[in-house]
Amino acid sequence: MELRVGNESAYAYTGGKAFDPKLPAVVFIHGGAQDHSAWILQSRYLAHHGYAALAVDLPGHGRSGGDPLGSIESMADWLVALLDAARVGTAALVGQSMGSLAALECAAKYPRRASRIALIGTAFPMSVSPDLLDAARNRESEAQRMINVWSHAAYAHYPSNPGPGFWVQGGNLRLMQRQKQGALHADFAACNAYAAGLERAAQVTCPALFLLGARDAMTPARAGRELAKAIPHAAVRTLDDSGHNLVGEKPDEVLDALVEFLRA
């Protein structure tokens, strides 16, 4: 689905179904240096089971035009503009890693636009080491490979893959490689600079779900649980044997948790 947000094109995958803004809407927000294709399973299932799915490409990612946005706050503003362009009043926001911060910011800043939020592989602060930021700016391929290793638990490493012919790490690396030059650094710098997480969490009034990886080395589960304490009545689920890339390592479990959360 092609939309216009501001002066730029914006792409959102609708799960193989024609988008109907009258249905309950779910917006999927990808992590750093990724795009809508990270959410194919979850968005497609929900689109075929009574929801209007929008798995977005943030600016400067995937099929969306423009440059990568420089802050989490600007991503939240962009999400609301995208909802306006799609003629959606209220939506459930589902975010992974960087996308979880954008969902959090959006729900707090625009409470009437978020019916509920699901934050996957999240933490606050989402700090990035100076060495990794430098590599992301000046040695992008090196940074991609470091991130790819740190984003996965041993379960995702050969030969312990979920099914024959399924290479979790290889797919994730290729997804990062196909983004625009500079997107990785812009995304990680935005996560590192975001300072309002606890303040914004305390302002969230809609239902919230935290999905955390027990073996997450990028955003440790303990940090996600601390953030969850700032949101009244937030639900927390920890997936065993998963690292930071929960959507890739535990796709069925993530989908099951989302279906249960959205129907509650």
Side-chain angles (χ1 to χ4, degrees):
M1 179 178 181
E2 297 285 349
L3 298 166
R4 296 294 297 182
V5 177
N7 296 320
E8 299 290 349
S9 64
Y11 178 80
Y13 174 67
T14 60
K17 296 277 285 186
F19 183 76
D20 183 355
K22 296 187 293 296
L23 294 174
V26 184
V27 177
F28 295 88
I29 312 152
H30 61 75
Q34 296 198 341
D35 61 30
H36 74 277
S37 61
W39 301 104
I40 294 297
L41 172 68
Q42 296 81 15
S43 59
R44 188 170 181 85
Y45 179 91
L46 291 175
H48 285 77
H49 289 81
Y51 294 90
L54 289 172
V56 303
D57 285 346
L58 290 168
H61 298 73
R63 302 183 191 179
S64 287
D67 296 322
L69 299 174
S71 69
I72 299 299
E73 292 84 354
S74 61
M75 295 176 201
D77 295 339
W78 183 88
L79 288 171
V80 169
L82 180 127
L83 291 178
D84 290 341
R87 300 182 181 181
V88 172
T90 303
L93 307 178
V94 180
Q96 159 83 0
S97 192
M98 178 184 75
S100 72
L101 298 183
L104 174 67
E105 176 72 17
C106 189
K109 188 175 181 180
Y110 303 99
R112 294 183 179 180
R113 307 305 296 271
S115 60
R116 57 188 60 219
I117 55 173
L119 311 181
I120 303 173
T122 194
F124 180 80
M126 200 172 285
S127 303
V128 183
S129 72
D131 289 344
L132 182 52
L133 279 175
D134 179 71
R137 180 189 290 276
N138 300 307
R139 303 179 306 281
E140 192 169 88
S141 61
E142 178 183 333
Q144 289 168 342
R145 294 183 184 279
M146 289 190 292
I147 293 163
N148 203 39
V149 171
W150 296 335
S151 292
H152 298 90
Y155 178 78
H157 299 182
Y158 178 84
S160 301
N161 290 317
F166 188 60
W167 186 17
V168 176
Q169 280 197 328
N172 190 68
L173 179 60
R174 186 67 189 96
L175 183 54
M176 288 190 287
Q177 289 171 339
R178 74 181 190 184
Q179 304 309 317
K180 291 182 179 179
Q181 184 78 22
L184 177 60
H185 180 263
D187 292 349
F188 273 51
C191 292
N192 188 60
Y194 185 58
L198 290 177
E199 176 186 351
R200 288 308 200 189
Q203 297 169 347
V204 171
T205 57
C206 64
L209 170 67
F210 284 68
L211 282 179
L212 311 174
R215 300 180 183 274
D216 189 339
M218 298 283 283
T219 54
R222 63 180 181 277
R225 288 191 288 267
E226 286 300 311
L227 178 60
K229 291 178 182 178
I231 300 180
H233 311 300
V236 180
R237 292 187 59 176
T238 303
L239 301 185
D240 294 335
D241 298 322
S242 183
H244 184 60
N245 184 19
L246 289 89
V247 177
E249 292 184 82
K250 296 287 186 176
D252 290 321
E253 291 85 346
V254 168
L255 174 58
D256 290 345
L258 290 176
V259 169
E260 180 181 344
F261 177 59
L262 292 170
R263 290 178 177 171

